[in-house]
Amino acid sequence: MTYVIAQPCVDVKDKACIEECPVDCIYEGQRSLYIHPDECVDCGACEPVCPVEAIFYEDDTPEEWKDYYKANVEFFDDLGSPGGASKLGLIERDHPFIAALPPQAEAE
């Protein structure tokens, strides 16, 4: 099991969750953040600090956002397990599902 970042994060990327994550498993894509399913230790520290309530335990992800689990997992198909997001910084891409979404928030 793992945590999933869903639609409310797209085009927002507050990053409070990154600061809270003790294992550095939350990676930054172009439009969204992603939790690495193999690096996440299921501590749940990220969930309460998300200001847009975009983080869910896998089994608790609302039905309308179930596709975000697949997007979070498949985002790492090419990356593998880098062993920490801070090593990579911004990854200049997103999962195709997220990349295809219309803009979700006003640019800051």
Side-chain angles (χ1 to χ4, degrees):
M1 294 297 182
T2 189
Y3 281 82
V4 174
I5 296 179
Q7 185 274 331
C9 183
V10 176
D11 296 326
V12 174
K13 299 192 316 184
D14 172 77
K15 301 183 193 171
C17 57
I18 290 174
E19 296 170 17
E20 209 56 41
C21 180
V23 295
D24 195 26
C25 73
I26 302 173
Y27 292 73
E28 182 180 3
Q30 194 69 38
R31 297 180 62 197
S32 186
L33 302 176
Y34 300 85
I35 296 176
H36 196 297
D38 296 331
E39 296 176 6
C40 178
V41 295
D42 299 333
C43 71
C46 57
E47 186 179 20
V49 299
C50 179
V52 294
E53 299 179 1
I55 302 173
F56 301 91
Y57 192 64
E58 176 185 340
D59 288 345
D60 297 334
T61 305
E63 191 61 40
E64 70 266 25
W65 294 329
K66 290 291 185 187
D67 290 340
Y68 286 84
Y69 171 76
K70 183 177 177 184
N72 274 251
V73 171
E74 291 178 356
F75 180 75
F76 298 99
D77 284 351
D78 294 337
L79 289 175
S81 188
S86 60
K87 295 177 186 177
L88 299 182
L90 175 66
I91 299 165
E92 298 285 338
R93 65 175 180 80
D94 280 297
H95 184 275
F97 172 75
I98 290 171
L101 291 172
Q104 302 293 306
E106 295 295 319
E108 293 181 22

